[in-house]
Amino acid sequence: MSKDAYDSPAQQRILKALVVLAGNEFIGISPTDYAKALRVNPGTATRDLHNLREAGFAEQIQETGRWRLGPKPVQIALAFATHLERAEQRLKEITNRYSREI
């Protein structure tokens, strides 16, 4: 089976949406700018943003109506950083153990 048989334009668009939202955490992005960035119509943009919000990946700024990343991707990034720190510490411990002179 070819790779194309597994491609889903809707899923690919949602993943690209995270990249569009990233970097706009303070001022957010308007639904219109979101739609333009992903080259979709306003209805599709509304549906995307709703689904991203339901999953915790986007949130709407109440004061402005603009959108930004929600807590979920930040939580994932922080969990990764924590696990990376633990792995680095473990590697240092192993390195120290094996580099001691007898």
Side-chain angles (χ1 to χ4, degrees):
M1 187 173 281
S2 74
K3 170 188 108 43
D4 294 339
Y6 293 105
D7 287 352
S8 167
Q11 290 177 356
Q12 291 296 316
R13 186 180 67 250
I14 289 296
L15 294 169
K16 289 176 185 172
L18 296 174
V19 175
V20 169
L21 292 172
N24 293 295
E25 290 77 21
F26 294 102
I27 62 168
I29 186 171
S30 72
T32 301
D33 289 340
Y34 172 91
K36 286 179 184 175
L38 291 172
R39 297 181 181 164
V40 297
N41 63 49
T44 299
T46 299
R47 187 171 45 253
D48 286 355
L49 292 166
H50 167 81
N51 282 286
L52 287 163
R53 178 180 55 214
E54 289 302 307
F57 282 85
E59 62 185 13
Q60 191 170 26
I61 303 168
Q62 294 301 317
E63 298 80 22
T64 64
R66 297 169 72 88
W67 289 81
R68 63 181 171 204
L69 284 178
K72 186 60 71 177
V74 177
Q75 291 166 349
I76 291 169
L78 291 172
F80 175 80
T82 297
H83 291 286
L84 186 59
E85 286 177 23
R86 288 181 189 155
E88 288 173 338
Q89 183 60 38
R90 181 72 180 125
L91 182 58
K92 285 178 186 177
E93 290 168 4
I94 292 169
T95 301
N96 287 338
R97 187 168 49 115
Y98 280 92
S99 63
R100 286 188 213 134
E101 291 188 33
I102 300 178

